[in-house]
Amino acid sequence: MSRRLGAQTVELTNPVCVAAGAAVVGKKEGEGPLRERFDEIGTDAYFGQKSWEKAESVMLSRCFQKLCAKAKTPPEQIQYLLAGDLQSQCTASAFAVRDSAVPFLGLYGACSTMGEGMSLGAMLIDGGAAETVCAMTSSHFCAAEREFRLPLEYGGQRTPSAQWTATAAGAVLLRAGGGGARITHITTGKIVDAGVTDASNMGAAMAPAAWETLKAHFAETGRAPGDYDAVITGDLGHFGHDILADLAAAEGVVFPVAFTDCGMLIYNAEHQDVHAGGSGCGCCASVFAGHILKCMQEGLWRKVLFAPTGALMSLVTSQQGESIPGICHALALEWKEE
Amino acid sequence: MSRRLGAQTVELTNPVCVAAGAAVVGKKEGEGPLRERFDEIGTDAYFGQKSWEKAESVMLSRCFQKLCAKAKTPPEQIQYLLAGDLQSQCTASAFAVRDSAVPFLGLYGACSTMGEGMSLGAMLIDGGAAETVCAMTSSHFCAAEREFRLPLEYGGQRTPSAQWTATAAGAVLLRAGGGGARITHITTGKIVDAGVTDASNMGAAMAPAAWETLKAHFAETGRAPGDYDAVITGDLGHFGHDILADLAAAEGVVFPVAFTDCGMLIYNAEHQDVHAGGSGCGCCASVFAGHILKCMQEGLWRKVLFAPTGALMSLVTSQQGESIPGICHALALEWKEE
């Protein structure tokens, strides 16, 4: 049974572990600092398909297959598949697993979707509804540019605050019991709209939501930032991370630990021309499954706070002059020997 | 703790009741046979806004406010808000509640989203993660036509198999304990792709998924159609319902009870020019919250199987020649005196 600690946080009382992770990424992501951490790197943007949208589905489908293989768990042993992406009507996910025959629950939390899926999956396991759940998300740079901003063919200039949507897919298998990286607490975010209207500055739109969720997490668990070895948001990028640090500092909170963001980890800021860093559902999903989980397995980090962030906008809301609501869901993970 | 009965079905062991429901609909829906069942009927397609998309958000927001008022539950007592809609990136929902300060989990299951939200909400309550959860969805005819098919200004002819996306919002408040309409079993759907490519015949695309979920529900619970007073899908419409009945009959299964579909209930097929009936996330949500729940409260039905269906396609997948995957989530409800 999950135990409520406050308005936004539950503590899991049964062990829920991240039994395995898999990440498949695009060519550019495979040239970044985490290149050795991913399971497969595409040779181009197409993954053998004729459209970017289909390419994203195939990339996510391969990621799911790799996860099942790594976890030695065939799809029929998975009770829920929680997935989402940035394409309209979340079709990248639905098409990726339409032949899997796993009970499917589609999610939309923009770049926070991996946090949402892992949260729901962990609570379903803790509450006895499932023993084995897969959470996964994807994004594709070219599909996302067409979806949210301008056609790539237009060749628009990118502002310094713009983030680069990662072509990446990440998946984790959550399981009841066992040792390893266990999910212990879940803090679910409220929507926070700071009034930002610039779709090329999503870090600014999401940072206030990230700060509200982190604050709620620390207050409701009685923990401090220093209780973790790493606090990692995703995907605020460099601009958004700086804003988050400023918001925390203004309230006297410092992070005496590894304090970073998946959008800062996935690319080399100096050499990859990505401006403010990475974004997209697949960014934090692939960085978590490919890198953060491994850092825990390798003994580098024992306690991690993982906090994916999302910007809940669309091309239509931007065109209609709406501001960009942000959201952030946080999960506390702790390494436990079996 | 939820108890698993099979690959797709869990039985809830703690009482989870539908404490209240609210429905706000558009003008056309307010002229249909359920007009007396809804809480508010709009006077036009705009709900005082300048765009159809904003109108949908306002309609859903009002529905949420009405739900809180009817349930005598302020938003701060709601622990999770599970919501989704048909707009790209599910913005109707996010914008409807961006000021509510309720922890938010966005969903996408097309017209099955209300089934997904009620399923997840009930499992979160049963597992101890929450005591009070709101599930809600909406759709808007004009916004959906623009999103999925053709601009309304084009004035395209509709085929006989086309359904009319309901301008409607529905919301329910789920609560731990108490009497009334209790959710007892949840059967989560797998994606079923029957190869249908006609976006004007979604009933045909979804009917096979509905049948697979109903079959799994009966097999895993050991129940028969006749154990329910009503089996109600949503939103197959008239064409899809006929296909579902044929699929069942081909396997020798008959429904000796009220066997209907929310898309058949919301409009008058003879006088409202809606062709194959209603569809859209808001159709089954408003019919459930406005009508089915009341039928249980009024003592007409004691046991109901509610099975929302969704077509997991987008304009892009249609344009790229993809077939339309379907999905269906079923919930068993039973009336229990307090």
Side-chain angles (χ1 to χ4, degrees):
Chain A
M1 295 284 284
S2 308
R3 192 165 71 90
R4 289 204 69 85
L5 299 185
Q8 294 178 249
T9 305
V10 295
E11 181 182 9
L12 306 188
T13 59
N14 296 312
V16 177
C17 77
V18 184
V24 176
V25 304
K27 184 164 176 266
K28 187 183 188 84
E29 292 68 25
E31 293 165 351
L34 302 182
R35 72 182 75 83
E36 301 296 335
R37 300 297 231 176
F38 302 126
D39 296 288
E40 183 184 339
I41 295 168
T43 52
D44 60 23
Y46 288 98
F47 286 83
Q49 303 302 304
K50 287 186 175 173
S51 76
W52 299 322
E53 288 77 12
K54 293 187 186 195
E56 184 177 345
S57 270
V58 166
M59 174 177 66
L60 183 58
S61 177
R62 282 200 206 161
C63 186
F64 177 63
Q65 288 161 20
K66 284 199 181 287
L67 180 76
C68 292
K70 288 174 81 175
K72 297 187 178 63
T73 303
E76 56 268 28
Q77 288 179 16
I78 300 173
Q79 284 132 1
Y80 297 103
L81 210 162
L82 298 153
D85 57 89
L86 298 177
Q87 289 183 21
S88 289
Q89 288 77 46
C90 301
T91 47
S93 309
F95 280 78
V97 294
R98 64 175 152 173
D99 299 321
S100 69
V102 180
F104 179 81
L105 297 162
L107 307 179
Y108 188 77
C111 306
S112 75
T113 306
M114 194 62 174
E116 182 183 347
M118 288 173 65
S119 295
L120 279 167
M123 289 191 281
L124 289 177
I125 291 173
D126 192 51
E131 294 201 327
T132 310
V133 170
C134 171
M136 63 184 208
T137 64
S138 66
S139 53
H140 190 294
F141 173 72
C142 309
E145 286 299 302
R146 168 146 86 183
E147 180 76 46
F148 286 95
R149 281 167 286 264
L150 296 163
L152 283 186
E153 296 82 349
Y154 176 72
Q157 287 287 312
R158 296 162 53 78
T159 62
S161 62
Q163 291 172 249
W164 188 280
T165 304
T167 299
V172 295
L173 196 83
L174 308 181
R175 191 169 270 160
R182 283 192 187 163
I183 298 169
T184 61
H185 299 78
I186 289 162
T187 303
T188 304
K190 304 172 177 181
I191 298 175
V192 177
D193 191 332
V196 173
T197 53
D198 180 359
S200 290
N201 194 359
M202 294 192 304
M206 296 187 286
W211 178 230
E212 291 300 322
T213 295
L214 293 182
K215 257 200 303 192
H217 178 81
F218 296 133
E220 295 179 12
T221 58
R223 293 182 171 188
D227 291 332
Y228 291 98
D229 301 313
V231 176
I232 306 175
T233 52
D235 306 297
L236 297 175
H238 297 280
F239 270 57
H241 179 74
D242 286 352
I243 295 170
L244 173 61
D246 285 350
L247 289 170
E251 298 193 30
V253 176
V254 290
F255 290 80
V257 296
F259 176 44
T260 185
D261 181 87
C262 297
M264 295 158 66
L265 294 170
I266 196 166
Y267 299 116
N268 182 313
E270 277 181 53
H271 303 297
Q272 287 195 285
D273 191 28
V274 292
H275 299 219
S279 70
C281 298
C283 179
C284 68
S286 63
V287 171
F288 181 85
H291 181 62
I292 298 173
L293 184 59
K294 287 200 186 84
C295 288
M296 295 186 76
Q297 289 164 344
E298 291 159 359
L300 180 65
W301 295 327
R302 194 182 158 80
K303 283 174 85 170
V304 171
L305 189 61
F306 176 53
T309 60
L312 301 172
M313 38 81 76
S314 75
L315 186 59
V316 170
T317 61
S318 293
Q319 287 172 339
Q320 294 185 356
E322 292 279 9
S323 54
I324 303 172
I327 196 161
C328 172
H329 305 301
L331 295 102
L333 294 112
E334 188 166 352
W335 185 265
K336 290 252 172 78
E337 295 301 332
E338 204 144 353
Chain B
M1 295 284 285
S2 309
R3 193 164 72 88
R4 289 204 69 83
L5 299 185
Q8 294 178 248
T9 306
V10 294
E11 180 182 10
L12 306 188
T13 60
N14 296 311
V16 177
C17 77
V18 184
V24 177
V25 304
K27 183 164 178 266
K28 187 183 189 82
E29 292 68 25
E31 291 164 354
L34 302 182
R35 73 182 73 83
E36 302 294 336
R37 299 299 231 175
F38 301 126
D39 295 289
E40 183 183 339
I41 295 168
T43 52
D44 60 23
Y46 287 98
F47 285 83
Q49 303 302 303
K50 288 187 176 173
S51 76
W52 298 322
E53 288 78 12
K54 292 187 187 194
E56 184 177 344
S57 270
V58 166
M59 174 178 67
L60 184 57
S61 177
R62 282 198 205 162
C63 186
F64 178 63
Q65 288 160 20
K66 285 200 181 288
L67 180 76
C68 291
K70 287 174 81 173
K72 297 187 177 64
T73 303
E76 57 267 26
Q77 288 178 16
I78 300 172
Q79 284 133 1
Y80 297 103
L81 209 161
L82 298 154
D85 57 272
L86 297 177
Q87 289 184 20
S88 288
Q89 287 77 48
C90 302
T91 47
S93 309
F95 280 78
V97 294
R98 63 175 153 174
D99 299 322
S100 70
V102 181
F104 179 80
L105 296 163
L107 307 179
Y108 188 76
C111 307
S112 75
T113 306
M114 194 62 173
E116 183 183 347
M118 288 173 65
S119 295
L120 279 168
M123 289 192 280
L124 289 177
I125 291 173
D126 192 50
E131 294 202 327
T132 311
V133 170
C134 170
M136 62 185 210
T137 63
S138 65
S139 53
H140 190 294
F141 173 72
C142 309
E145 286 299 302
R146 168 145 86 184
E147 180 75 45
F148 286 94
R149 281 167 286 263
L150 296 163
L152 284 187
E153 295 83 349
Y154 177 71
Q157 288 286 311
R158 296 162 54 78
T159 62
S161 62
Q163 292 172 251
W164 188 280
T165 304
T167 299
V172 296
L173 196 82
L174 307 181
R175 192 170 270 161
R182 283 192 187 166
I183 299 169
T184 61
H185 298 79
I186 289 162
T187 303
T188 304
K190 303 173 178 181
I191 298 175
V192 177
D193 191 332
V196 174
T197 54
D198 181 358
S200 290
N201 193 359
M202 294 191 305
M206 297 187 287
W211 178 231
E212 290 300 322
T213 295
L214 294 182
K215 255 200 303 192
H217 178 80
F218 296 133
E220 296 180 10
T221 58
R223 294 182 170 187
D227 291 332
Y228 291 98
D229 301 313
V231 176
I232 306 175
T233 52
D235 305 297
L236 298 174
H238 297 280
F239 270 56
H241 179 75
D242 286 352
I243 296 170
L244 173 61
D246 285 350
L247 289 169
E251 298 193 30
V253 176
V254 290
F255 289 80
V257 296
F259 176 44
T260 184
D261 181 88
C262 297
M264 295 158 65
L265 294 169
I266 195 166
Y267 299 115
N268 182 314
E270 277 182 54
H271 303 297
Q272 288 196 285
D273 191 29
V274 291
H275 298 218
S279 70
C281 297
C283 179
C284 68
S286 63
V287 170
F288 180 86
H291 180 62
I292 298 173
L293 184 59
K294 287 199 185 86
C295 288
M296 295 186 76
Q297 290 164 344
E298 291 160 359
L300 180 64
W301 296 328
R302 191 182 159 80
K303 282 174 87 169
V304 172
L305 189 61
F306 175 52
T309 61
L312 301 173
M313 39 78 79
S314 75
L315 186 58
V316 169
T317 61
S318 293
Q319 287 172 338
Q320 295 185 356
E322 292 278 9
S323 54
I324 303 172
I327 196 161
C328 172
H329 306 299
L331 295 102
L333 294 112
E334 187 166 353
W335 185 265
K336 289 253 172 77
E337 295 300 333
E338 204 144 356

